[in-house]
């Protein structure tokens, strides 16, 4: 039985340290990550004309943490918003179309918010938007769970190179990259610090979940 | 993982991973829409040289829930019963493009032979071979036990409390025809690797020579084992199917004597701590190794085992087929 | 007939000698470098090679008649020659069973026609190997084949009365009953040695006691009626003990062991590869040690191959459906060197004893099993003790591909085999068959 491979951080969280090297450059520091999230929170409320019917669904693993942070910010601005009841996580592993191109991933739990998602405005939250395949899988997964009134997409970083007709409604930072570069999002919950890093092409095919 | 042939091949991490994936699979089966697109386009062949409606349906359901194409090949009425060899059957399946072969065979070792022979390039999943192993049964037993014994307590708390956990410190009594039981063999390996203690209870005639080398304790006295006199308090008891034909071969004198000495009834269950569970791999011989009262009682997880079987087999198929080609 | 000078071979591992083979006999033996080849003689340079008397196998399945898809007398005796054998005893479990003078004469004649070695048919003890009635043992003994060894091998002569009668009856013509010791009830459906491995693998066990109980009974019977008894393929430590005890009591019993039981154990079954399925089954390390010790101290008299070729389809399947048996003629000597000579249990004279002289004596093959003395029949094999080779079943002469030693590197290689002066093997390859009409005075 082939186990998790080192570097696939969905199956083996330990090895994320195999990610960015000292040569990587910081694109967003902790304060900038925080400001970006605050701005997205305001945009979400503005777009929805208030907190009514809003549900945040994070895509594991870092999207889940980002969704929780966004929900906390929404609740600060709109005390009527029940952050705990309106936040969930949506695992998309079983809906991915690229499973066979990667080592086997262990699915993460999907947690529906207490309010459910039927007729809600679901904001999908993820750390990096790249090919768009994760979001496609998320839309499929979501449709198996219910029928939202609308689905929106919030990401901390949009690094371009879309392979599907998908765009984000709310973006923390647009980050022009080449496909040879690699982007790492670090969050305090998983990595001990908040930061977005970018790393240039390397000789070695570095391991770690590149986005 | 390339094949699933024996629980003896599984490390603790691999076994726990199967259980963890099965937790997520089980969660998807609580939904209104149970079907997932995960294995779309992949072909799973169920190759059943022995009749086993329960196991076959469980695997079929698991594969279909993951959107795999399922071909079922039963020995009865097919070329297999007309003397076609395992090799030729396997070559046929290979030609049909089977990505995975789920095989149930009366000959111990047939799945391993299939996996190593080069007759098929697909993943081989042992669905029970002779008196050797039945790994998915042991995995679903472990899954059921983990749900009841770890984390949230009886009935199972949130899955998150169990994910990553093994069965360390738990004690399982397995009683019945160990000699002819593939379920017992798979469970002894798996419970050991998951950190549990196992006590096998059977009449000496129904224990294999060499059982003392297995990672478990052995007792001829069911009541002593259930009272905790052998390896301490018991967290679960698993009754194995006993075939009446064994009586003819002098393994035990009569059904009545067997039931009296080794059958599970309400009085024996009362020897157990309140939280302890009762398992049976099915199909049951009610009145022989288990009474109806015990089988249908509050401790019984027998129906739940069937449900969990689908989730565990989904997990096994997922882990064998979803990742990149080895 | 060709005259051959074998130069500087070491007879039975002793000091180098030149041997002149002429008219099917060992004509001269002299210190190395002292003989010159007569005109027209072939010279075989044998410096560094060990010369042994031609090997005699007491236990070979040639499959003909009936299973020519598995082996024929011709292919089986080619394999024998390549393995250094100049005589093989062809077991009786053919179809039809070799239980009449007609069948044993047919096999004997096929051997002569093939011309690769002496083929000595074994006669069945009971008709059809069915364990019910004695076969016509005397007719087989009196036939052209001159049968002296009788066996239901593959099946046990289980009926104690029948066994007693057979032991008694063959005394009339100096025959011997070779028993396949297997208690049938204890081994119904048995698949492998019963022990820790069979328990884990879920394969029905074949207990040692099923063999030992029959041997114990038979040595007591043989002692009681004063007959000689030969026990086929001992496989357990307990069997060795029983035979040792019987010999100490003066019972006229001889015992054999196969090369594979001297080297392989039931651990190999863990992969369920039917190439390791054999009757009696591979046993444990302790058994292997006891068998080796039994050969070393003379309790076990002979090594016999139990060469049992099977067609590919009979092994290319799941374990329980597979046939039992292994090929062995072409690997026997090498395995004996590895299992017995290298660890110091036997020297070359010992190899000659257990693989040639004693089996010839048990089988009453007068022309075989000599000691390379002047005047003996020129049956000899030249062995390169320093050679190492890797077993490749597809390169063998036997039709059987079921060698358990496939892929293993083994020591010692047969370089040349001479059957009554005729070179059947030269330079490690088949030379020529002996023309049938050339039959010598030595062969009945």
């Amino acid at each position: 039985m082939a186990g998790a491979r080192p570097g696939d951080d969905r199956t083996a969280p330990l090895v994320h340290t195999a990610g960015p090297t000292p040569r990587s450059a910081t694109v967003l520091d902790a304060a900038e990550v925080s400001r970006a999230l605050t701005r997205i929170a305001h945009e979400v409320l503005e777009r929805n004309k208030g907190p009514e019917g809003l549900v945040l669904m994070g895509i594991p693993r870092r999207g889940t943490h980002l969704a929780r942070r966004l929900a906390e910010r929404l609740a600060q601005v709109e005390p009527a918003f029940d952050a705990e009841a309106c936040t969930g996580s949506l695992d998309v592993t079983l809906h991915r179309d690229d499973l066979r191109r990667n080592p086997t991933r262990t699915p993460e739990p999907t947690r529906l918010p207490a309010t459910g998602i039927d007729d809600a405005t679901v904001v999908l939250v993820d750390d990096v938007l790249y090919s768009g395949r994760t979001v496609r899988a998320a839309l499929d997964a979501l449709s198996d769970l219910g029928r939202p009134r609308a689905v929106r997409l919030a990401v901390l970083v949009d690094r371009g190179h879309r392979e599907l007709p998908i765009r984000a409604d709310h973006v923390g930072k647009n980050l022009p990259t080449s496909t040879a570069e690699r982007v790492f999002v670090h969050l305090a919950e998983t990595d001990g610090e908040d930061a977005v890093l970018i790393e240039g092409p390397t000789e070695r095919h570095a391991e770690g979940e590149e986005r | 993982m390339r094949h699933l042939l024996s629980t003896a091949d599984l490390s603790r991490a691999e076994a726990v991973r199967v259980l963890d994936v099965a937790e997520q699979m089980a969660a998807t089966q609580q939904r209104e829409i149970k079907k997932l697109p995960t294995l779309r386009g992949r072909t799973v062949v169920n190759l059943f040289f022995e009749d086993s409606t329960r196991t076959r349906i469980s695997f079929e359901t698991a594969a279909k829930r993951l959107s795999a194409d399922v071909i079922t090949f039963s020995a009865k009425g097919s070329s297999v019963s007309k003397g076609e060899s395992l090799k030729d059957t396997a070559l046929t399946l290979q030609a049909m493009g089977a990505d995975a072969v789920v095989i149930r065979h009366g000959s111990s070792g047939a799945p391993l032979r299939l996996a190593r022979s080069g007759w098929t390039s697909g993943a081989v999943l042992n669905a029970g071979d002779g008196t050797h192993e039945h790994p998915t049964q042991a995995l679903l037993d472990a899954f059921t036990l983990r749900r009841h014994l770890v984390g949230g307590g009886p009935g199972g708390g949130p899955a998150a409390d169990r994910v990553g956990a093994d069965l360390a410190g738990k004690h399982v009594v397995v009683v019945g025809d160990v000699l002819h039981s593939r379920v017992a063999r798979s469970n002894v390996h798996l419970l050991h690797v998951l950190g549990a203690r196992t006590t096998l209870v059977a009449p000496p005639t129904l224990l294999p020579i060499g059982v003392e080398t297995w990672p478990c304790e052995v007792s001829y006295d069911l009541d002593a084992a259930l009272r905790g006199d052998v390896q301490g308090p018991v967290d679960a008891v698993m009754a194995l199917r006993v075939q009446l034909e064994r009586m003819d071969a002098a393994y035990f004198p009569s059904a009545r004597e067997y039931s009296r000495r080794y059958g599970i009834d309400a009085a024996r269950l009362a020897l157990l701590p309140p939280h302890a569970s009762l398992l049976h791999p099915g199909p049951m011989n009610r009145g022989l190794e288990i009474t109806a009262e015990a089988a249908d009682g509050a401790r019984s997880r027998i129906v739940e085992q069937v449900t969990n079987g689908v989730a565990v087999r989904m997990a096994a198929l997922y882990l064998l087929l979803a990742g990149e080609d080895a | 007939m060709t005259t051959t000078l074998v130069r500087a071979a070491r007879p039975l591992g002793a000091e180098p000698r030149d041997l002149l083979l002429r008219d099917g006999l060992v004509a001269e033996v002299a210190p190395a470098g002292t003989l010159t080849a007569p005109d027209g003689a072939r010279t075989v340079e044998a410096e560094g090679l060990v010369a042994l008397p031609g090997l005699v196998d007491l236990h070979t399945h040639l499959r003909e008649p009936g299973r020519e898809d598995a082996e024929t007398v011709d292919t089986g005796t080619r394999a024998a020659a390549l393995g250094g054998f100049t005589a093989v005893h062809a077991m009786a479990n053919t179809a039809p069973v070799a239980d009449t003078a007609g069948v044993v004469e047919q096999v004997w004649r096929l051997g002569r026609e093939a011309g690769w070695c002496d083929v000595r048919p074994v006669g069945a003890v009971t008709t059809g190997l069915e364990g019910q009635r004695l076969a016509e043992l005397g007719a087989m003994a009196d036939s052209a084949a001159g049968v002296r060894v009788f066996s239901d091998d593959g099946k046990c002569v289980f009926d104690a009365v029948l066994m007693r009668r057979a032991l008694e009856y063959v005394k009339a013509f100096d025959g011997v009953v070779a028993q396949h010791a297997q208690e049938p009830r204890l081994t119904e459906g048995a698949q492998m040695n019963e022990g820790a491995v069979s328990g884990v693998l879920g394969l029905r066990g074949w207990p040692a006691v099923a063999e030992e109980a029959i041997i114990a009974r038979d040595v007591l019977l043989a002692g009681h009626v004063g007959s000689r008894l030969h026990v086929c393929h001992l496989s357990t430590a307990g069997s060795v003990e029983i035979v040792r005890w019987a010999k100490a009591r003066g019972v006229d019993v001889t015992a054999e062991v196969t090369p594979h039981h001297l080297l392989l154990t039931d651990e190999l079954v863990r992969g369920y590869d039917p190439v390791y399925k054999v009757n009696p089954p591979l046993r444990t390390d302790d058994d292997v040690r006891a068998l080796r010790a039994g050969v070393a101290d003379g309790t076990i008299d002979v090594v016999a191959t139990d060469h049992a070729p099977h067609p590919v389809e009979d092994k290319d399947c799941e374990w329980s459906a597979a046939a039992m048996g292994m090929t062995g003629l072409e690997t026997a000597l090498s395995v004996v060197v590895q299992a017995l000579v290298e660890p110091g249990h036997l020297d070359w004279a010992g190899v000659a004893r257990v693989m040639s002289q004693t089996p010839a004596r048990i089988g009453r093959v007068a022309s075989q099993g000599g000691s390379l003395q002047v005047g003996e029949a020129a049956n000899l094999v030249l062995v390169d003790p320093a050679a190492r080779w890797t077993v490749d079943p597809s390169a063998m002469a036997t039709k059987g591909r079921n060698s358990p030693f496939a892929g293993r590197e083994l020591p010692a290689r047969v370089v040349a085999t001479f059957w009554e002066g005729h070179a059947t093997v030269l330079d490690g390859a088949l030379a020529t068959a002996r023309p049938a009409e050339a039959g010598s005075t030595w062969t009945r």
Side-chain angles (χ1 to χ4, degrees):
Chain A
M1 210 191 215
R5 297 194 185 180
D8 180 359
D9 76 356
R10 284 182 192 248
T11 53
L14 288 178
V15 295
H16 194 75
T17 46
T21 63
R23 295 185 297 99
S24 51
T26 302
V27 182
L28 294 180
D29 62 20
E32 288 166 322
V33 168
S34 175
R35 276 201 296 278
L37 288 173
T38 304
R39 181 168 53 72
I40 291 173
H42 282 283
E43 280 181 24
V44 166
L45 283 172
E46 200 172 310
R47 176 82 183 269
N48 198 51
K49 300 186 170 65
E52 193 62 30
L54 266 183
V55 157
L56 304 186
M57 292 289 280
I59 297 173
R61 293 176 34 241
R62 291 184 182 73
T64 307
H65 300 300
L66 290 173
R68 193 177 306 116
R69 292 199 203 177
L70 274 178
E72 285 162 7
R73 281 167 167 78
L74 290 178
Q76 281 166 14
V77 180
E78 293 280 351
F81 183 77
D82 184 343
E84 187 60 35
C86 299
T87 311
S89 71
L90 178 68
D91 186 73
V92 306
T93 309
L94 300 174
H95 291 79
R96 297 196 73 97
D97 65 1
D98 56 357
L99 287 169
R100 298 198 63 198
R101 295 162 177 270
N102 292 290
T104 311
R105 298 157 181 258
T106 300
E108 298 279 330
T110 288
R111 246 178 347 94
L112 285 181
T115 56
I117 61 165
D118 283 343
D119 297 320
T121 296
V122 173
V123 180
L124 291 173
V125 183
D126 203 1
D127 52 356
V128 178
L129 178 59
Y130 188 17
S131 68
R133 288 180 189 274
T134 302
V135 176
R136 185 209 61 78
L139 291 169
D140 283 353
L142 209 52
S143 70
D144 279 1
L145 296 171
R147 188 183 180 284
R149 193 181 63 79
V151 182
R152 302 217 170 95
L153 176 61
V155 296
L156 185 59
V157 174
D158 181 350
R159 63 167 293 190
H161 305 288
R162 213 75 74 241
E163 294 167 5
L164 295 168
I166 281 169
R167 64 168 179 79
D169 299 274
H170 312 290
V171 178
K173 179 162 182 71
N174 281 299
L175 193 61
T177 59
S178 85
T179 53
E181 289 171 315
R182 307 190 311 138
V183 174
F184 296 92
V185 171
H186 282 190
L187 294 179
E189 295 91 329
T190 49
D191 313 287
E193 55 152 7
D194 282 357
V196 176
L197 304 107
I198 187 165
E199 189 184 292
T202 49
E203 296 285 315
R204 191 175 71 91
H205 182 72
E207 293 168 334
E209 186 179 21
E210 68 184 287
R211 303 296 299 262
Chain B
M1 108 177 163
R2 175 86 181 86
H3 304 292
L4 179 58
L5 303 171
S6 158
T7 54
D9 302 337
L10 297 177
S11 67
R12 179 193 171 279
E14 287 166 336
V16 168
R17 190 176 188 209
V18 176
L19 303 185
D20 290 349
V21 173
E23 283 287 356
Q24 306 312 327
M25 294 298 179
T28 68
Q29 299 308 297
Q30 303 302 312
R31 299 176 191 161
E32 201 168 322
I33 299 173
K34 298 181 172 61
K35 191 156 174 150
L36 297 159
T38 318
L39 297 182
R40 209 163 50 189
R42 325 253 16 221
T43 300
V44 174
V45 174
N46 283 324
L47 187 52
F48 276 63
F49 290 86
E50 261 185 6
D51 279 344
S52 172
T53 311
R54 306 160 62 93
T55 306
R56 181 174 52 77
I57 288 177
S58 183
F59 269 108
E60 260 180 39
T61 307
K64 284 176 175 168
R65 295 273 162 85
L66 290 169
S67 299
D69 293 323
V70 182
I71 301 169
T72 294
F73 206 71
S74 287
K76 277 212 170 137
S78 74
S79 53
V80 173
S81 61
K82 293 170 190 142
E84 186 178 76
S85 69
L86 175 62
K87 177 180 180 176
D88 287 323
T89 307
L91 293 174
T92 305
L93 301 177
Q94 174 67 8
M96 287 176 182
D99 295 302
V101 178
V102 175
I103 175 172
R104 162 68 68 101
H105 202 289
S107 175
S108 299
L112 188 123
R113 189 89 178 108
L114 186 62
R116 290 200 180 163
S117 61
W119 300 331
T120 174
S121 62
V124 177
L125 223 154
N126 182 0
D129 61 328
T131 53
H132 177 224
E133 286 222 33
H134 193 353
T136 58
Q137 178 69 44
L139 286 162
L140 78 88
D141 292 337
F143 181 83
T144 307
L145 291 174
R146 193 173 78 161
R147 283 203 146 184
H148 285 276
L149 302 177
V150 178
D161 293 352
R162 301 186 292 273
V163 165
D166 57 18
L167 296 172
K170 305 300 175 192
H171 178 202
V172 182
V173 168
V174 179
V175 56
D177 181 358
V178 174
L179 179 63
H180 300 97
S181 176
R182 48 194 171 212
V183 177
R185 282 172 179 75
S186 285
N187 263 300
V188 167
H189 294 308
L190 186 63
L191 289 169
H192 175 67
V193 83
L194 290 173
R197 284 167 294 143
T198 308
T199 302
L200 297 178
V201 181
T205 46
L206 290 176
L207 287 165
I209 295 281
V211 71
E212 68 280 357
T213 64
W214 295 11
C216 60
E217 293 295 319
V218 174
S219 170
Y220 308 138
D221 185 342
L222 179 58
D223 291 317
L226 295 182
R227 275 196 305 267
D229 296 349
V230 179
Q231 280 201 89
V234 175
D235 297 293
V237 55
M238 184 184 302
L240 301 173
R241 179 177 167 77
V242 173
Q243 295 180 335
L244 273 177
E245 305 88 83
R246 305 291 176 215
M247 208 166 61
D248 304 329
Y251 286 104
F252 53 90
S254 70
R256 196 172 58 177
E257 176 157 325
Y258 183 87
S259 302
R260 200 175 293 152
R261 293 178 68 88
Y262 299 101
I264 297 290
D265 58 14
R268 287 206 160 106
L269 290 182
L271 299 172
L272 298 173
H275 71 277
S277 294
L278 169 64
L279 279 68
H280 189 295
M284 288 181 279
N285 287 308
R286 288 176 185 249
L288 181 53
E289 74 265 10
I290 194 165
T291 64
E293 192 184 2
D296 302 331
R299 293 171 185 275
S300 172
R301 314 290 173 230
I302 297 169
V303 175
E304 195 187 320
Q305 283 176 276
V306 178
T307 311
N308 292 342
V310 174
V312 164
R313 287 169 180 130
M314 287 173 77
L317 287 169
Y318 172 78
L319 289 169
L320 287 173
L321 287 178
E324 64 191 345
D325 289 331
Chain C
M1 189 172 268
T2 318
T3 299
T4 303
L5 176 64
V6 177
R7 210 199 303 266
R10 294 164 48 212
L12 282 64
E15 290 306 302
R17 291 282 183 279
D18 292 346
L19 292 89
L20 189 69
L21 317 180
R22 190 171 54 212
D23 299 331
L25 302 177
V26 178
E28 290 183 58
V29 179
T34 59
L35 292 186
T36 47
D39 282 349
R42 172 199 290 127
T43 300
V44 174
E45 296 296 344
E47 199 171 338
L49 305 186
V50 171
L52 299 175
L55 307 182
V56 177
D57 194 14
L58 261 186
H59 197 141
T60 314
H61 295 276
L62 293 179
R63 303 294 187 216
E64 193 175 1
R67 285 306 300 267
E68 291 81 358
D69 57 327
E71 191 82 290
T72 63
V73 171
D74 183 60
T75 58
T77 52
R78 285 169 185 258
L82 282 167
F85 291 89
T86 50
V88 296
H89 286 74
M91 274 298 169
N93 61 339
T94 48
V97 169
D99 57 2
T100 62
V103 178
V104 293
E105 283 189 354
Q106 181 195 353
V107 173
W108 175 74
R109 197 166 296 115
L110 285 168
R112 306 232 322 158
E113 285 165 8
W116 296 105
C117 71
D118 198 353
V119 173
R120 315 288 301 194
V122 173
V125 176
T126 65
T127 51
L129 308 177
E130 282 167 357
Q132 304 293 324
R133 292 184 300 118
L134 284 186
E136 289 184 353
L137 308 180
M140 290 189 273
D142 295 341
S143 73
V147 175
R148 289 293 177 272
V149 181
F150 298 90
S151 179
D152 276 2
D153 181 64
K155 291 186 175 173
C156 180
V157 181
F158 178 52
D159 184 315
V161 172
L162 206 55
M163 185 63 185
R164 173 192 171 149
R165 300 282 183 256
L167 286 168
E168 290 176 307
Y169 193 78
V170 299
K171 283 200 276 189
F173 33 84
D174 197 20
V176 64
V177 176
Q179 174 71 296
H180 173 114
Q182 179 187 350
E183 213 283 349
R185 280 282 284 150
L186 282 171
T187 52
E188 273 171 22
Q191 297 292 321
M192 67 172 296
N193 178 50
E194 182 166 68
V197 180
S198 65
V200 169
L201 295 183
L203 289 173
R204 184 165 301 185
W206 189 311
V209 63
E211 173 173 314
E212 294 155 3
I214 295 294
I215 296 176
R217 181 200 73 178
D218 286 354
V219 295
L220 293 172
L221 276 177
H224 179 61
V225 300
S227 293
R228 71 185 172 112
L229 166 72
H230 179 70
V231 187
C232 296
H233 42 51
L234 259 60
S235 72
T236 77
S239 298
V240 178
E241 273 191 62
I242 293 165
V243 171
R244 190 176 286 131
W245 172 84
K247 286 188 166 183
R249 277 175 58 115
V251 175
D252 191 3
V253 57
T254 52
E256 79 187 27
V257 62
T258 71
H260 47 271
H261 287 110
L262 289 169
L263 199 61
L264 309 178
T265 70
D266 63 354
E267 287 293 326
L268 290 164
V269 180
R270 288 188 188 274
Y272 294 99
D273 185 341
V275 79
Y276 300 114
K277 185 172 176 180
V278 65
N279 177 354
L282 300 179
R283 306 284 188 181
T284 67
D285 258 335
D286 286 346
D287 295 305
V288 167
R289 268 194 294 275
L291 291 167
R292 291 182 181 190
V295 178
D297 72 11
T299 303
I300 295 174
D301 303 86
V302 307
V303 176
T305 66
D306 198 4
H307 174 81
H310 288 288
V312 169
E313 63 270 21
D314 287 356
K315 288 287 191 181
D316 215 3
C317 57
E318 59 274 23
W319 182 275
S320 63
M324 299 187 203
M326 303 171 164
T327 62
L329 286 169
E330 287 161 88
T331 48
L333 183 63
S334 291
V335 173
V336 165
V337 169
Q338 178 157 350
L340 297 174
V341 177
E342 288 184 346
H345 297 301
L346 283 186
D347 55 14
W348 287 104
V351 174
R353 188 177 70 245
V354 301
M355 294 189 78
S356 175
Q357 292 155 354
T358 308
R361 182 173 55 73
I362 293 168
R364 301 295 191 246
V365 191
S367 62
Q368 301 264 357
S371 46
L372 307 182
Q373 303 293 314
V374 172
E376 289 178 0
N379 294 307
L380 73 150
V381 52
L382 298 175
V383 183
D384 180 355
R388 297 193 70 85
W389 60 293
T390 301
V391 179
D392 174 9
S394 68
M396 290 183 175
T398 173
K399 282 191 178 182
R401 295 292 169 262
N402 49 312
S403 170
F405 306 107
R408 278 182 195 246
E409 195 187 84
L410 294 177
R413 179 117 227 204
V414 171
V415 175
T417 307
F418 295 90
W419 176 31
E420 293 178 1
H422 181 92
T424 53
V425 172
L426 285 173
D427 297 326
L430 285 172
T432 57
R434 193 178 74 175
E437 60 273 20
S440 81
T441 51
W442 292 98
T443 312
R444 292 177 54 144

